[in-house]
Amino acid sequence: FRFKDSLAEDLRRADLVISHAGAGSCLETLEKGKPLIVVTNEKLMNNHQLELAKQLDRDGHVFCCNCSTLVETLQSMDLSTLKPFSPGQPEKFASFLDKVFGFQ
């Protein structure tokens, strides 16, 4: 599909997600606890997606590849090695800032 209002139902039903390495796509998938392969686009200028994908891969949350290595990644991956992703806790950061600036 070219456009869809929400991927929530598709993510809920998925056993494996293969996605580009956009922050929103990665975080939404990981927060739902789904295994994820991120496929980077090496032709993008100033490829910020590559940084995120490589860090998530180093942390063990995703498998990172590019278009030419996707088949190899699918054949060699072991989903049991992926580590769960813990979502951030922005309320803790806000509380810290409140203390620093004397709002509490």
Side-chain angles (χ1 to χ4, degrees), residues 17-21 26 36-40 53 56 62-66:
V17 176
I18 300 173
S19 175
H20 74 132
C26 290
L36 175 61
I37 297 175
V38 289
V39 182
T40 60
L56 289 171
V62 306
F63 295 108
C64 177
C65 65
N66 57 44

Side-chain angles (χ1 to χ4, degrees), residues 34 38 83 100:
K34 300 296 180 169
V38 289
K83 297 176 184 172
V100 168

Side-chain angles (χ1 to χ4, degrees), residues 2-21:
R2 289 185 60 167
F3 177 78
K4 198 168 190 181
D5 288 334
S6 173
L7 295 175
E9 181 60 23
D10 298 292
L11 288 174
R12 187 189 67 73
R13 291 190 329 236
D15 293 320
L16 172 69
V17 176
I18 300 173
S19 175
H20 74 132

